[in-house]
Amino acid sequence: HRDLHSCPTRRSSDLDLLITITYNDDCRFKEWVDHYQEYKDELYLHIIVDNNSSENYQRLLKESFPDSVIIELGYNGGCTAAYNAGIKYALENPQVDAISLMGNDIKVPTGNMTKLYDFLMSTPNYSFVYPIILHPGEPDGIAWEYGQTYDKQKMQPYAIIRNSKISDLPEFLIAESGPGGCNLAKRSFYEINGLQDEKMFMYSDEMDTAIRAAKNGLVFATTKNIFAWHLHINEPGKKQRNPMSAYLMARNHIYLARKHFGRKTMLKTFGKEFKKSLHSLILSIYKGDCKEGIKYSWNMLKGSFAGLFNNMKNDF
């Protein structure tokens, strides 16, 4: 585990610092190692924050990423606490001028981190940038979504432009929001906007970041000239995310509505989450999807009430 202050002096070829978080991600580990090889030489430093994985997994991390700084958090802090640990570590070094948050199921082709850094630094106006994010199976010439904004009642991000030919898109786009796990921001972004809200644990943290950034006058931007692929690698045999994700997303949407827009908006957001979860639960029962669908929908319903009563405990 290298000391950050002992890292070599930045060269013109050194770019940004990249943070990846992990927790027993055996199902995607091989792909992560392969993807890292494509962009590692473009980084000034790579930081991995481990959310208290097993001893065998931590040993594998050290063997597979010998040149990375590995922070062992010692507990499972989800996305927010883990990213915060990496960001705080990065900000200790004044040479770091840009910080990337990158999921370990994101594929970034060689050269694109360099392009992203150049795009970020192309104007003082940009604080936070990100590439077009494609999903597996999408044609290279089609952007599934380009740019993000958000619904202030549902507390959910959505695309500014969807399902369009990349050749038809504007060269760049100013946005209100950006993906939480595939981005690059100037260090000043975190110095002004602050760290992530650790009450949220994970999910919708990018919404909280975007809402606070708007209040601070910080600009998000994306460009059609830079690509990344989100591979969505889940555990074998699982059709959808862990049911706990449904709980956290529903709860955090309502929490953010209260936090930023007050009780009236919070109640409207609760109503939308409650109806969505109830509809999903009834549909799952009707289809006889007892193993995954009902459990997922039930957790969504519980998360709605946790948000209503402001229960932000993450002791699961």
Side-chain angles (χ1 to χ4, degrees):
H1 310 331
R2 282 188 297 170
D3 179 70
L4 184 60
H5 298 281
S6 68
C7 293
T9 302
R10 176 183 290 274
R11 304 182 303 271
S12 59
S13 60
D14 287 322
L15 300 176
D16 58 278
L17 180 148
L18 186 144
I19 301 168
T20 313
I21 62 175
T22 188
Y23 174 67
N24 290 328
D25 291 313
D26 302 272
C27 64
R28 64 187 69 167
F29 194 84
K30 181 183 180 301
E31 289 83 357
W32 176 21
V33 173
D34 291 342
H35 300 154
Y36 174 68
Q37 304 308 313
E38 294 193 45
Y39 56 76
K40 69 175 185 177
D41 293 335
E42 300 173 66
L43 304 177
Y44 172 57
L45 187 65
H46 181 221
I47 294 177
I48 298 172
V49 185
D50 179 71
N51 270 315
N52 202 29
S53 297
S54 67
E55 290 185 12
N56 286 339
Y57 186 83
Q58 290 182 0
R59 189 179 306 114
L60 184 61
L61 273 180
K62 295 168 187 175
E63 292 171 356
S64 303
F65 296 95
D67 298 321
S68 302
V69 169
I70 300 176
I71 299 174
E72 296 175 1
L73 202 58
Y75 65 98
N76 188 355
C79 291
T80 52
Y83 274 137
N84 282 349
I87 294 166
K88 286 187 282 189
Y89 194 86
L91 291 176
E92 291 178 5
N93 189 333
Q95 290 183 190
V96 172
D97 60 359
I99 299 171
S100 173
L101 308 184
M102 189 70 64
N104 58 18
D105 60 351
I106 301 289
K107 175 181 172 65
V108 184
T110 300
N112 277 260
M113 287 305 299
T114 302
K115 291 179 182 178
L116 197 62
Y117 179 88
D118 291 342
F119 179 59
L120 176 65
M121 297 302 178
S122 65
T123 170
N125 196 38
Y126 295 162
S127 295
F128 183 111
V129 299
Y130 54 98
I132 289 179
I133 301 178
L134 301 174
H135 293 263
E138 289 176 357
D140 291 356
I142 301 294
W144 181 69
E145 64 175 36
Y146 187 47
Q148 282 188 6
T149 183
Y150 52 86
D151 187 307
K152 295 178 177 63
Q153 288 190 4
K154 294 182 179 179
M155 291 293 115
Q156 293 178 317
Y158 61 91
I160 296 174
I161 301 174
R162 294 200 69 146
N163 300 320
S164 298
K165 291 182 179 179
I166 292 174
S167 58
D168 294 338
L169 297 174
E171 193 80 8
F172 63 90
L173 194 64
I174 303 299
E176 285 186 303
S177 181
C182 186
N183 59 66
L184 180 67
K186 292 174 180 172
R187 71 176 290 132
S188 58
F189 179 86
Y190 294 103
E191 291 171 336
I192 295 169
N193 214 47
L195 300 175
Q196 298 200 6
D197 185 342
E198 296 186 11
K199 287 183 180 180
M200 299 176 70
F201 192 76
M202 63 188 300
Y203 297 114
S204 301
D205 45 287
E206 71 276 16
M207 278 287 302
D208 183 55
T209 296
I211 295 169
R212 288 187 286 125
K215 295 175 182 178
N216 289 318
L218 300 171
V219 175
F220 291 73
T222 185
T223 174
K224 71 175 186 178
N225 299 320
I226 306 171
F227 303 88
W229 279 261
H230 191 178
L231 302 183
H232 297 286
I233 303 173
N234 296 317
E235 293 180 32
K238 295 290 185 181
K239 296 180 181 179
Q240 59 188 15
R241 292 169 169 170
N242 187 303
M244 187 53 65
S245 65
Y247 175 91
L248 290 170
M249 284 188 281
R251 184 197 69 175
N252 289 349
H253 293 160
I254 298 164
Y255 168 73
L256 287 179
R258 175 191 283 109
K259 176 179 177 180
H260 293 292
F261 302 110
R263 179 178 173 81
K264 185 177 180 180
T265 300
M266 181 274 290
L267 290 173
K268 289 181 180 179
T269 304
F270 166 75
K272 293 179 184 297
E273 290 294 333
F274 176 76
K275 288 178 183 178
K276 182 171 68 173
S277 58
L278 195 60
H279 178 265
S280 177
L281 183 60
I282 293 171
L283 193 62
S284 295
I285 294 172
Y286 176 76
K287 289 182 176 180
D289 187 7
C290 297
K291 281 190 177 180
E292 292 189 43
I294 292 177
K295 189 174 182 181
Y296 191 87
S297 303
W298 178 247
N299 273 274
M300 192 189 307
L301 188 63
K302 289 197 298 182
S304 299
F305 281 97
L308 177 66
F309 294 108
N310 204 25
N311 177 9
M312 299 305 291
K313 293 179 180 179
N314 294 312
D315 51 357
F316 34 76

